[in-house]
């Protein structure tokens, strides 16, 4: 997904929602934003209208007071509560650094200074984020470019939520997409200066990688730093996760009462495919009789997000139309489909994993599926999930009136 939200004057405004955690949950979208300086916003402009449309109620400005005085702050508005939390205590001028200064070790060391000097402000910032999350109101935190101080807070926060370190580093590097515009802003506001550091405005992965490694070396873990140095215990982290993560997916067998929902899911998926140029499923092809048969001859499973149905799939115990006669060593997944209005990113992969778990529990060591041979995007999706292409069926009769070619894929289960 493209995390950058487009503004004319803001260049690094991003939604932190949608990231997957280690345990398969998802950071809720539209709740937590990171940004470059909101002092560039002005009432009466399209940027201001777009900002207000996000429903943000709390702004946390991580800059020095003298930066705010020189460059301005977010405009006042009745819907906004503004907080200045200057987490950095030792200013430095990146633009004036020598070209020989390596960004990785240099910036990682500056971030460590902030983590040790700004404990009061960092703690209060995390508490503000937790308060906003618990009240179900969106919040944005920002500094000047949305990279360094903002990146530190984002890294701590995503780590507490359980987002993998690889993803945290990738989030940091997304500033690179805004570097050219940030550089243009610097030259505009500093016409009498020469920028000497080639790494200004850049966000190489090694900066965040080295910072996180240094923080863990000194404190043992990110949670230990938050607990022992900031004074925020595990209860704080659990509350933060409860407020900012989507509830975990749960699964149950479908029943006769779910037949209309299954038909709707399949038709909606068909419409989405057609809208994206994929000629595979057609709305109206499969009605309740099809799914009733699958309930009788196999299994149909639903994925639920809270009380809402996020997706479904069929589990077959044989599939002669695609695979021919086979010994009972495999089960077959069909019609993996999600409700895009409900399902968070990664739901399809989680449903695959649950289907594989169910197959393994039955004692069968193989999971098989097929996809239309003319749909390489879907084949690549399954291959990324660990499936291997094992053959082609040139004329599968799927009961739709016209035979079609499919690619056969297989995964050996532990």
């Amino acid at each position: 997904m493209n995390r950058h939200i487009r503004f004319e004057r803001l260049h690094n405004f991003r939604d932190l929602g949608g990231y997957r955690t280690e345990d398969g949950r998802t950071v809720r979208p539209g709740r937590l934003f990171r940004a470059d300086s909101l002092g560039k916003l002005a009432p009466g402009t399209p940027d201001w209208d777009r900002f207000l449309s996000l429903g943000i109620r709390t702004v946390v400005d991580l800059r020095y007071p003298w930066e705010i005085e020189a460059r301005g702050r977010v405009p006042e508005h009745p819907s906004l509560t503004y907080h200045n939390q200057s987490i950095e205590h030792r200013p430095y001028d990146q633009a004036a650094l020598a070209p020989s200064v390596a960004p990785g070790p240099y910036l990682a060391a500056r971030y460590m200074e902030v983590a040790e000097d700004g404990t009061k402000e960092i703690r209060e910032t995390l508490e503000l984020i937790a308060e906003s999350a618990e009240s179900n109101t969106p919040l944005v935190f920002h500094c000047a470019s949305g990279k360094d101080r903002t990146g530190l807070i984002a890294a701590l926060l995503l780590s507490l939520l359980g987002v993998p370190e690889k993803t945290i580093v990738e989030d940091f590097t997304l500033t690179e997409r805004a570097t050219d515009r940030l550089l243009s802003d610097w030259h505009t506001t500093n016409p009498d200066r020469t920028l000497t550091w080639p790494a200004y405005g850049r966000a190489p992965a090694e900066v965040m990688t080295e910072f996180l490694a240094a923080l863990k070396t000194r404190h043992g873990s990110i949670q230990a730093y938050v607990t022992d140095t900031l004074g925020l215990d595990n209860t704080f982290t659990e509350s933060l996760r409860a407020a900012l993560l989507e509830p975990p997916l749960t699964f149950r067998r479908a029943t006769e009462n779910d037949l209309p929902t299954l038909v709707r899911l399949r038709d909606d998926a068909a419409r989405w495919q057609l809208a994206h140029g994929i000629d595979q499923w057609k709305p109206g092809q499969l009605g309740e009789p099809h799914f009733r048969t699958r309930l009788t001859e196999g299994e149909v499973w639903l994925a639920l997000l809270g009380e809402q149905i996020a997706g479904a799939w069929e589990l077959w115990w044989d599939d002669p139309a695609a695979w021919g006669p086979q010994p009972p060593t495999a089960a077959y997944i069909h019609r993996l489909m999600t409700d895009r209005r409900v399902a968070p990113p990664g739901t399809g992969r989680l449903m695959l994993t649950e289907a594989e778990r169910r197959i393994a529990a039955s004692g069968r060591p193989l999971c098989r599926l097929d996809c239309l041979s003319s749909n390489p995007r879907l084949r690549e999706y399954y291959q990324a999930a660990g499936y291997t292409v094992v053959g082609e069926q040139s004329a599968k009769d799927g009961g739709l009136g016209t035979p079609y070619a499919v690619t056969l894929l297989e995964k050996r289960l532990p």
Side-chain angles (χ1 to χ4, degrees):
M1 64 181 286
N2 181 12
R3 298 190 168 277
H4 281 83
I5 297 175
R6 180 70 180 176
F7 291 87
E8 290 301 315
R9 291 291 296 121
L10 304 180
H11 313 317
N12 204 12
F13 196 108
R14 313 203 308 256
D15 190 343
L16 284 174
Y19 282 129
R20 287 275 303 281
T21 64
E22 296 274 12
D23 62 0
R25 298 176 69 180
T26 305
V27 181
R28 290 180 174 173
R31 299 284 297 279
L32 196 58
F33 301 91
R34 54 177 295 175
D36 47 328
S37 174
L38 300 185
K40 294 180 283 189
L41 291 172
T45 64
D47 271 3
W48 182 239
D49 293 340
R50 185 172 296 112
F51 174 77
L52 292 178
S53 73
L54 296 172
I56 290 168
R57 294 294 176 262
T58 304
V59 175
V60 181
D61 191 335
L62 304 174
R63 296 174 298 162
Y64 290 98
W66 54 262
E67 288 180 277
I68 298 167
E69 184 176 351
R71 302 297 182 196
R73 48 154 281 186
V74 67
E76 293 188 9
H77 190 272
S79 68
L80 296 176
T81 301
Y82 174 82
H83 302 269
N84 179 211
Q85 296 288 345
S86 181
I87 65 172
E88 185 180 280
H89 293 185
R90 292 184 244 182
Y92 60 102
D93 188 355
Q94 290 189 27
L97 294 174
S100 59
V101 174
Y106 180 81
L107 288 178
R110 303 292 76 73
Y111 294 6
M112 281 300 295
E113 289 177 356
V114 174
E116 301 297 339
D117 295 346
T119 53
K120 174 179 178 294
E121 293 84 1
I122 293 172
R123 174 191 171 115
E124 290 173 351
T125 296
L126 292 176
E127 288 175 330
L128 287 168
I129 291 170
E131 290 171 11
S132 178
E134 288 170 5
S135 63
N136 200 28
T137 56
L139 173 147
V140 60
F141 56 95
H142 75 91
C143 55
S145 65
K147 175 172 74 78
D148 300 310
R149 290 163 286 188
T150 297
L152 185 152
I153 294 296
L156 293 177
L157 180 62
L158 292 175
S159 180
L160 292 177
L161 293 176
V163 173
E165 183 173 314
K166 179 177 181 289
T167 305
I168 294 171
V169 173
E170 289 173 352
D171 177 73
F172 174 76
T173 65
L174 289 180
T175 288
E176 291 279 345
R177 299 185 183 182
T179 295
D180 290 345
R181 299 179 77 194
L182 293 170
L183 285 171
S184 177
D185 272 4
W186 188 91
H187 288 295
T188 298
T189 55
N190 297 276
D192 301 324
R193 293 187 61 191
T194 300
L195 193 155
T196 59
W197 197 39
Y200 182 86
R202 310 218 72 89
E206 58 264 24
V207 174
M208 184 55 64
T209 300
E210 292 183 28
F211 164 64
L212 292 175
L215 196 64
K216 287 185 287 186
T217 296
R218 185 170 301 179
H219 296 278
S221 68
I222 306 301
Q223 181 63 62
Y225 164 75
V226 170
T227 300
D228 300 336
T229 302
L230 302 185
L232 298 171
D233 60 17
N234 288 336
T235 301
F236 172 86
T237 301
E238 291 167 5
S239 298
L240 193 71
R241 287 173 60 84
L244 282 175
L245 297 180
E246 299 281 9
L249 282 177
T250 58
F251 306 97
R252 69 168 174 84
R253 291 275 295 269
T255 69
E256 284 269 340
N257 293 333
D258 298 307
L259 293 176
T261 298
L262 293 167
V263 173
R264 177 186 61 78
L265 280 173
R266 206 272 184 184
D267 285 349
D268 285 350
R271 293 185 185 96
W272 183 90
Q273 289 178 2
L274 291 172
H276 288 78
I278 302 170
D279 186 14
Q280 185 165 351
W281 293 357
K282 303 291 191 301
Q285 277 181 326
L286 299 180
E288 291 188 13
H290 165 84
F291 291 104
R292 184 175 291 109
T293 299
R294 297 323 315 163
L295 290 176
T296 302
E297 298 183 2
E299 299 177 2
V300 182
W301 285 83
L302 300 176
L304 294 93
L305 193 64
E307 304 247 338
Q308 296 181 290
I309 294 176
W313 72 91
E314 299 174 11
L315 190 57
W316 297 18
W317 300 112
D318 63 356
D319 185 8
W323 294 82
Q326 295 285 329
T329 56
Y332 305 82
I333 298 174
H334 286 275
R335 265 164 287 283
L336 189 78
M337 47 197 180
T338 60
D339 187 335
R340 293 176 179 274
R341 299 167 300 179
V342 176
T347 295
R349 184 67 68 85
L350 291 174
M351 292 196 302
L352 266 181
T353 300
E354 176 63 17
E356 292 161 6
R357 187 203 64 76
R358 172 74 184 98
I359 295 168
S362 76
R364 300 195 180 197
L366 294 173
C367 180
R368 289 173 174 164
L369 47 81
D370 65 77
C371 67
L372 204 65
S373 296
S374 58
N375 191 345
R377 178 177 170 187
L378 185 57
R379 182 181 67 245
E380 290 166 5
Y381 174 84
Y382 289 130
Q383 288 177 307
Y387 287 79
T388 301
V389 174
V390 294
E392 297 282 333
Q393 163 63 278
S394 60
K396 175 183 175 180
D397 183 359
L400 300 176
T402 304
Y404 49 92
V406 296
T407 300
L408 305 176
L409 298 104
E410 177 180 276
K411 182 176 182 178
R412 182 164 291 277
L413 303 176

